[in-house]
């Protein structure tokens, strides 16, 4: 993409796509400024909308947000924000002559998250085993949400926010992600880049907008791309799982040993665990007890990732204009989910403090968020999970545009965009 003297990188995937999508970057992460939706029309908001409180209120209604924050001043740094966090959540130590900010780890609370996830997952398996067939969807929804909690535990371990003993963290992180067939170390290496480069146009490893040049240059894959970024977007992390975590060419030599150990653990689980499930319960049992909850997990994984960093008003920026504080505070969305989801997923959606400092343990996120609201509240993006929010992401946030952040597929290629038109027609517009 020949903007500001930069070329388009080779497409990088984040999520699993139908055949024909494997050459296109279908990921989307944090985004630029304005496209307003109402179920059918897509008017463009003025570029300076975020400077007007009235305009922000209008966009909240259109996008499904509770609040769209003011732009963060350019001179604010992440250190400025971190300094305002409550003292009870942080201590300072000197390690190797370097001042590092560490957040208090409470072993009881950390292992309590493990107990909650193990108990809720066990209950889910029991429900699947005992429920009549017509209640399977409810049992799968519960169990898929419960194993999402395992991912969050592994996520804390990867950020060194679970235990003071780093060997224990690596063991717990590896075991927590095994039922998800996620190799812990490969995921950790790539996820660290997401935090270091959040909302950076070429470098962020999370969900990226589609490049217009790619979209125009590959008509044979266009329909698959539209389906992937539209109707099946809530499962697109499957593509990222496949393409980013099992390819040794994506890792540096000094990472290779740990990557191979993680991959060996995952393949051992697959080659031992899966046959045991099939031996005990048959292929149908494998589908019931593993596959369907795993798809439920990917629904949450995709949905959380989309909502955390995807909105028509949130910009993707090149590295030469990128600002870390703006990306982490202004470019991250706090979203309230049903309380049972928050409990089973260990508050992972209290996400703004996690991007301000990834080393805050999950059980301290709410206290940190409250502090951020008190000190930086006018700059925050906040929502309650709703249909209009999902509809905005799935029908508007598609192709990168320097001025508008996104152009929807049905504007750029209306003849191929029946899946987007279908979503606009059938998805509710409730906020």
């Amino acid at each position: 993409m020949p903007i500001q003297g930069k070329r388009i990188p080779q497409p990088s995937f984040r999520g699993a796509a139908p055949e024909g999508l494997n050459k296109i970057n279908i990921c989307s992460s944090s985004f630029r400024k304005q496209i307003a939706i109402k179920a059918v029309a897509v008017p463009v908001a003025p570029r300076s909308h975020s400077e007007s409180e009235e305009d922000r209120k209008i966009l909240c209604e259109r996008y499904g947000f509770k609040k769209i924050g003011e732009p963060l001043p350019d001179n604010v740094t992440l250190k400025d924000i971190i300094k305002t966090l409550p003292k009870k959540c942080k201590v300072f130590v000197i390690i190797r002559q370097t001042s590092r900010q560490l957040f208090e780890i409470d072993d009881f609370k950390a292992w309590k998250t493990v107990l909650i996830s193990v108990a809720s997952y066990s209950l889910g398996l029991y429900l699947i085993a005992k429920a009549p067939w017509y209640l399977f969807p409810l049992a799968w929804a519960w169990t898929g949400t419960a194993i999402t909690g395992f991912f969050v535990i592994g996520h804390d371990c990867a950020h060194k926010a679970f235990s003071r003993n780093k060997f224990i963290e690596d063991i717990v992180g590896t075991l927590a992600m095994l039922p998800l067939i996620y190799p812990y170390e490969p995921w950790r290496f790539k996820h660290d880049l997401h935090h270091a480069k959040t909302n950076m146009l070429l470098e962020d490893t999370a969900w990226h907008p589609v490049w217009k040049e790619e979209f125009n240059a590959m008509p044979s894959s266009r329909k698959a791309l539209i389906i992937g970024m539209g109707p099946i977007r809530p499962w697109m992390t499957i593509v990222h799982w496949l393409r980013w975590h099992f390819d040794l060419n994506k890792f540096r030599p000094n990472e290779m040993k740990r990557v191979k150990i993680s991959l060996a653990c995952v393949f051992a689980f697959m080659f031992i665990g899966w046959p045991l499930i099939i031996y005990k319960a048959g292929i149908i049992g494998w589908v019931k007890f593993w596959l369907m909850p795993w798809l439920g997990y990917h629904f949450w994984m995709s949905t959380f990732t989309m909502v955390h960093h995807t909105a028509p008003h949130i910009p993707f920026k090149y590295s030469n204009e990128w600002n870390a504080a703006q990306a982490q505070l202004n470019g991250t969305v706090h979203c309230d989910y049903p309380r049972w989801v928050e409990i089973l997923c260990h508050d992972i959606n209290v996400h703004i403090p996690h991007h301000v400092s990834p080393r805050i343990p999950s059980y301290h996120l709410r206290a940190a968020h409250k502090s951020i609201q008190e000190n930086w509240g006018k700059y925050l993006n906040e929502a309650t999970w709703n249909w209009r929010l999902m509809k905005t992401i799935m029908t508007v946030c598609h192709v990168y545009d320097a001025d508008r952040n996104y152009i929807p597929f049905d504007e750029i290629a209306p003849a191929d965009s029946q899946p987007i038109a279908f979503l606009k027609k059938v998805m509710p517009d409730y906020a």
Side-chain angles (χ1 to χ4, degrees):
M1 184 173 189
I3 300 177
Q4 299 180 356
K6 297 181 181 279
R7 66 180 181 84
I8 298 179
Q10 289 299 311
S12 67
F13 260 64
R14 189 145 174 69
E19 182 151 358
L21 267 166
N22 55 344
K23 294 184 180 178
I24 301 179
N25 175 4
I26 62 170
C27 302
S28 309
S29 174
S30 313
F31 309 91
R32 266 228 194 244
K33 272 190 175 156
Q34 301 97 308
I35 298 172
I37 77 156
K38 191 74 175 156
V40 242
V42 189
V44 181
R47 187 172 174 79
S48 60
H49 74 80
S50 55
E51 298 173 5
S52 162
E53 183 176 354
E54 187 59 35
D55 285 337
R56 288 196 300 273
K57 288 180 180 179
I58 293 171
L59 293 178
C60 280
E61 171 66 19
R62 288 175 177 168
Y63 298 163
F65 277 74
K66 286 195 300 187
K67 177 183 169 188
I68 288 176
E70 297 178 21
L72 189 69
D74 291 339
N75 63 342
V76 175
T77 68
L78 277 179
K79 287 184 179 179
D80 295 330
I81 301 169
I82 292 171
K83 285 178 183 177
T84 66
L85 293 174
K87 291 182 180 179
K88 67 177 182 179
C89 288
K90 63 187 181 186
V91 295
F92 288 88
V93 297
I94 302 298
I95 301 177
R96 296 179 185 173
Q97 313 306 316
T98 303
S99 177
R100 298 181 181 177
Q101 186 175 56
L102 303 177
F103 291 82
E104 290 181 358
I105 291 174
D106 185 319
D107 290 328
F108 174 78
K109 290 180 179 178
W111 287 102
K112 180 181 174 182
T113 64
V114 175
L115 179 62
I116 289 171
S117 288
V118 170
S120 58
Y121 181 54
S122 300
L123 175 60
L125 295 178
Y126 177 81
L127 292 174
I128 294 171
K130 299 298 183 180
W133 64 268
Y134 52 85
L135 291 181
F136 281 167
L138 293 178
W140 289 330
W142 174 272
T143 311
T145 309
I147 58 172
T148 305
F150 285 141
F151 174 84
V152 179
I153 292 167
H155 178 263
D156 262 16
C157 291
H159 286 298
K160 308 306 177 189
F162 182 83
S163 172
R164 296 174 186 85
N165 186 313
K166 302 313 168 191
F167 178 72
I168 289 177
E169 274 188 326
D170 289 341
I171 295 296
V172 172
T174 298
L175 292 175
M177 290 191 172
L178 278 186
L180 308 169
I181 314 298
Y182 254 85
Y184 170 73
E185 295 288 359
W187 175 83
R188 180 173 71 86
F189 290 136
K190 297 307 177 187
H191 185 68
D192 284 348
L193 290 176
H194 164 60
H195 277 275
K197 311 286 186 179
T198 304
N199 296 13
M200 200 178 288
L201 191 54
L202 306 182
E203 291 84 354
D204 192 351
T205 57
W207 297 67
H208 292 168
V210 176
W211 293 98
K212 188 184 299 183
E213 286 79 359
E214 290 176 326
F215 185 76
N216 292 334
M218 305 180 76
S220 61
S221 302
R222 186 175 295 174
K223 184 57 72 72
L225 177 60
I226 290 171
I227 292 172
M229 293 292 284
I232 66 170
R233 197 165 180 176
W235 289 273
M236 289 304 291
T237 46
I238 297 173
V239 173
H240 184 264
W241 167 74
L242 285 170
R243 293 183 61 85
W244 277 82
H245 303 114
F246 295 91
D247 183 355
L248 294 179
N249 294 321
K250 295 186 183 298
F251 301 95
R252 295 174 298 204
N254 65 319
E255 298 170 339
M256 202 61 70
K257 181 179 178 181
R258 300 180 75 91
V259 166
K260 288 180 178 178
I261 291 173
S262 284
L263 290 175
C265 292
V266 164
F267 287 125
F269 180 88
M270 291 170 62
F271 294 136
I272 297 172
W274 284 1
L276 283 176
I277 296 173
I278 293 170
Y279 175 75
K280 290 289 186 180
I283 293 292
I284 297 300
W286 177 81
V287 171
K288 285 169 52 180
F289 289 100
W290 185 83
L291 180 61
M292 296 307 293
W294 183 77
L295 292 175
Y297 154 73
H298 272 286
F299 171 82
W300 287 126
M301 184 69 169
S302 299
T303 300
F304 292 166
T305 304
M306 287 190 292
V307 171
H308 288 163
H309 299 289
T310 310
H313 69 283
I314 296 178
F316 241 113
K317 293 187 176 181
Y318 284 105
S319 57
N320 63 343
E321 59 179 5
W322 184 79
N323 177 295
Q326 291 172 354
Q328 311 296 10
L329 193 77
N330 264 155
T332 304
V333 175
H334 171 85
C335 187
D336 293 315
Y337 284 76
R339 189 65 189 132
W340 68 277
V341 175
E342 303 275 23
I343 292 171
L344 295 188
C345 297
H346 310 305
D347 287 334
I348 189 60
N349 294 294
V350 185
H351 208 61
I352 295 174
H354 175 64
H355 268 266
V356 169
S357 179
R359 297 190 71 170
I360 301 175
S362 58
Y363 43 82
H364 285 326
L365 289 174
R366 289 195 178 274
H369 184 73
K370 182 178 179 182
S371 172
I372 290 172
Q373 281 181 315
E374 291 170 354
N375 292 286
W376 306 93
K378 65 181 180 179
Y379 304 114
L380 304 186
N381 294 290
E382 298 180 339
T384 298
W385 194 48
N386 63 82
W387 280 109
R388 185 178 298 169
L389 181 67
M390 292 296 291
K391 191 171 187 174
T392 300
I393 295 170
M394 295 170 70
T395 64
V396 170
C397 298
H398 299 143
V399 180
Y400 173 75
D401 181 82
D403 293 318
R404 295 165 52 184
N405 300 326
Y406 292 99
I407 300 175
F409 285 137
D410 56 351
E411 180 178 330
I412 204 170
D416 295 318
S417 298
Q418 297 92 340
I420 304 304
F422 173 76
L423 287 180
K424 287 186 173 182
K425 186 177 295 185
V426 303
M427 289 186 73
D429 202 34
Y430 307 131

